[in-house]
Amino acid sequence: MESTELVFIPGPGMGHLVAAVEIGKLLTSRANYLSITFFIIDLPIETATHTYTKTLAVIDDSTTSRLRFLHLSSPQSQSNNRNKPQEAVLVELFDNSKQIVREAIVENFMTNKSKSGTRLSGVIVDMFSDKMIEVATELCLPSYVFFTSSAAFLGLMFYAQALKDDHDRDISDFKDSDTLLPVSTYLNPLPAKVLPSAMLDKDGRLRLPLSTARMIRQAKGIIVNTFLELEPHPINSLGNEDGVPSLYPVGPIINLNQEPDDSINNWLDEQPDSSVLFLCFGSYGSFDEEQLKEIAIALEHCGCRFLWSLRQPQAKGKIGAPDDLARQEQVLPEGFFKRTSRRGKLIGWAPQVAVLSHRSIGGFITHCGWNSVLESLWFGVPMATWPMYAEQQVNAFELVVDLEMAANIKMEYRSESPVLVTAEEIERAIRRLMLDSAEEKNGMRKKIEEMKEKSRRAMLEGGSSYYFLENLIKDIKDHSST
């Protein structure tokens, strides 16, 4: 069979790139005639992508060898970014990269195509690079969206778009209200207070999710990093909605090949099974000193073992991930280190997958990034939710209210306009997660353990995600033969 090629345009940041590579590995492992070229738009805030792709390039593997990485220089931003939210800056950079991507596709696949022996059969775009669908359409190529969040959130995006286009109503009108929204992909009415900040910003960021939803509707299919057993209601709801492209829930897509940190791993090895609470708030999550003190007080009062990833509070206007906190002892309560030294460990950046996979981890306080949620489920670690930005608030709502699989700390928390979460609130969630009665603790733990098994079965032959990936490959193959 003629070799078939896909172009994959990941979104900004290592999290999106790693997830894209993992789905690329899955596709090429199941279709030996398929190769994928990743167009990586280099951003000034992300310095690790070159190192990562070079590492993959030297792996002598029949699957990885059919993955190619082409780095493209990002254009200059057209405006002052000092007062812009980070996601708005990133989307602007991607929007301005359309012409660069178009020229790269033409140069690499549409010039002297007959000599290459390869047929370009489509373009996969990240949910953050949705404008690239326009490039694919201009070049008469089918496009697929790799949606790196939940199916429930995808439904919320379509809901907001339909509200505007069909009823001329902005979802941002519900800001600061107690309105409960009838979003079809959630089992319970969705409180307006947990809507993503971008959807509440009528004068600026609201246009981003609306235009993204409109563009996604033009795609040939949507590859979603979820699985049927986790989100049966959202997936079935989207399948019954008019104007939604074919859905391929093929997750959980997780990079399991993460090297542990020896210092962290050695400490975890010394702890009893399921005894350690892990606190980690993602690549961009950080708190001010006042909030850090409240967390420390809660950890000290509850008495459980803990591993805490501490990051430097982000300077205003700075784009990129925060640094590790250099002088931890200066921002925490006096004597905290000494009083908790036998049962706690403070770290900077954490190899999250390696930590969650360790037998001693018994609970996870998380910012509810979708990758983190899937990783926690894969390893069967119960969660307490503390969302910070992006769509993390609605992820927390789905986990706590719809799925009843997590404890709530502060579902409506937002890092851009934070309220102080008290030590009492934090301690209450920790106790429910780690220390409460066996009956309550085991109820949540049992659900998580069951979902752990379902997540793994979904990826095996005969599983739901295996089935949907087969359908996706068939769709790509059918186009390549026409």
Side-chain angles (χ1 to χ4, degrees):
M1 181 179 176
E2 183 182 36
S3 178
T4 299
E5 184 88 24
L6 292 172
V7 165
F8 202 137
I9 308 170
M14 279 297 295
H16 287 266
L17 175 57
V18 170
V21 169
E22 291 304 310
I23 186 66
K25 289 178 182 177
L26 266 180
L27 285 166
T28 53
S29 70
R30 299 271 290 278
N32 57 16
Y33 54 85
L34 185 63
S35 298
I36 299 175
T37 297
F38 293 87
F39 284 6
I40 300 168
I41 300 170
D42 289 329
L43 302 175
I45 68 168
E46 193 63 73
T47 58
T49 55
H50 278 270
T51 302
Y52 176 67
T53 56
K54 284 179 180 177
T55 301
L56 289 170
V58 300
I59 298 175
D60 186 16
D61 176 88
S62 60
T63 297
T64 309
S65 65
R66 284 181 278 122
L67 305 181
R68 188 164 71 104
F69 302 93
L70 184 62
H71 288 263
L72 306 176
S73 298
S74 66
Q76 293 296 314
S77 176
Q78 302 299 307
S79 58
N80 182 3
N81 295 326
R82 177 165 293 277
N83 296 317
K84 282 188 175 182
Q86 180 162 276
E87 62 265 30
V89 176
L90 296 176
V91 170
E92 180 185 331
L93 287 170
F94 264 74
D95 286 355
N96 294 338
S97 302
K98 282 172 55 179
Q99 186 59 29
I100 297 171
V101 168
R102 190 185 192 285
E103 291 171 359
I105 292 176
V106 171
E107 180 182 346
N108 283 273
F109 300 103
M110 295 183 167
T111 303
N112 300 323
K113 182 174 62 174
S114 59
K115 294 181 181 180
S116 69
T118 298
R119 181 185 179 91
L120 182 58
S121 294
V123 179
I124 303 177
V125 306
D126 184 273
M127 58 189 280
F128 272 108
S129 52
D130 61 280
K131 287 293 195 304
M132 300 304 169
I133 293 174
E134 293 179 356
V135 175
T137 302
E138 290 170 10
L139 297 174
C140 301
L141 294 167
S143 55
Y144 301 85
V145 173
F146 181 37
F147 198 80
T148 53
S149 191
S150 68
F153 176 58
L154 176 60
L156 173 59
M157 291 181 66
F158 287 144
Y159 173 86
Q161 177 249 320
L163 195 66
K164 177 64 176 177
D165 294 352
D166 299 342
H167 305 283
D168 195 27
R169 184 82 187 271
D170 285 329
I171 198 168
S172 60
D173 292 344
F174 301 112
K175 184 176 182 179
D176 298 326
S177 76
D178 294 321
T179 304
L180 298 175
L181 301 170
V183 183
S184 65
T185 47
Y186 293 88
L187 287 166
N188 294 278
L190 186 71
K193 289 182 178 179
V194 302
L195 287 172
S197 295
M199 289 186 176
L200 298 174
D201 185 6
K202 185 174 185 176
D203 297 326
R205 288 178 288 167
L206 177 58
R207 65 178 181 83
L208 298 176
L210 294 181
S211 63
T212 297
R214 294 184 189 112
M215 196 65 65
I216 289 175
R217 287 188 186 272
Q218 299 177 28
K220 186 169 175 46
I222 310 172
I223 307 163
V224 190
N225 192 8
T226 189
F227 54 104
L228 184 60
E229 291 78 5
L230 176 63
E231 294 194 284
H233 175 77
I235 290 168
N236 290 330
S237 174
L238 288 167
N240 293 326
E241 185 175 330
D242 292 336
V244 174
S246 299
L247 213 65
Y248 301 99
V250 299
I253 308 299
I254 299 169
N255 177 21
L256 298 173
N257 301 315
Q258 188 178 66
E259 289 294 324
D261 177 281
D262 288 342
S263 171
I264 296 171
N265 217 50
N266 290 341
W267 184 83
L268 289 173
D269 286 344
E270 297 172 356
Q271 313 308 316
D273 289 359
S274 302
S275 66
V276 177
L277 173 68
F278 178 39
L279 300 89
C280 186
F281 300 92
S283 300
Y284 301 103
S286 61
F287 299 101
D288 62 24
E289 291 188 17
E290 188 178 13
Q291 186 62 76
L292 291 175
K293 284 184 169 66
E294 294 296 313
I295 297 173
I297 292 169
L299 290 172
E300 189 166 355
H301 284 179
C302 75
C304 69
R305 292 175 171 83
F306 63 88
L307 178 70
W308 183 6
S309 174
L310 273 169
R311 312 303 298 279
Q312 182 76 33
Q314 187 71 295
K316 188 174 182 179
K318 182 183 176 183
I319 302 297
D323 299 323
D324 292 347
L325 196 59
R327 299 179 178 178
Q328 300 168 339
E329 68 279 359
Q330 293 187 3
V331 299
L332 298 177
E334 185 176 353
F336 175 79
F337 273 77
K338 184 176 181 180
R339 293 189 298 271
T340 63
S341 61
R342 294 192 176 187
R343 60 180 177 84
K345 184 175 178 63
L346 300 176
I347 59 174
W349 175 86
Q352 184 168 286
V353 168
V355 170
L356 288 172
S357 67
H358 198 282
R359 57 161 183 80
S360 69
I361 298 298
F364 181 26
I365 295 184
T366 173
H367 66 310
C368 299
W370 192 244
N371 283 344
S372 295
V373 169
L374 294 176
E375 289 162 6
S376 199
L377 292 174
W378 182 267
F379 294 112
V381 179
M383 290 168 277
T385 62
W386 193 334
M388 305 196 73
Y389 51 87
E391 89 293 4
Q392 293 161 12
Q393 288 81 19
V394 292
N395 291 346
F397 175 82
E398 184 178 15
L399 284 170
V400 173
V401 180
D402 274 9
L403 299 177
E404 298 180 337
M405 288 198 303
N408 178 41
I409 293 179
K410 183 70 83 172
M411 198 182 299
E412 64 275 16
Y413 185 91
R414 300 177 191 278
S415 57
E416 62 198 39
S417 54
V419 296
L420 186 69
V421 184
T422 66
E424 290 76 15
E425 292 174 287
I426 301 166
E427 183 181 352
R428 193 181 307 121
I430 292 174
R431 288 190 176 279
R432 186 180 171 205
L433 196 64
M434 304 292 293
L435 303 169
D436 269 356
S437 68
E439 182 179 351
E440 183 172 355
K441 182 177 175 181
N442 289 339
M444 186 187 304
R445 213 165 276 277
K446 183 180 179 182
K447 286 184 178 181
I448 292 289
E449 192 63 32
E450 289 173 351
M451 198 55 66
K452 169 186 173 180
E453 297 306 315
K454 289 176 180 178
S455 71
R456 296 173 182 232
R457 286 201 301 268
M459 301 297 289
L460 300 176
E461 186 170 359
S464 62
S465 296
Y466 190 99
Y467 167 80
F468 280 109
L469 190 67
E470 280 291 306
N471 287 349
L472 173 61
I473 291 170
K474 182 179 184 302
D475 191 75
I476 294 169
K477 182 179 179 181
D478 288 347
H479 176 77
S480 66
S481 62
T482 57

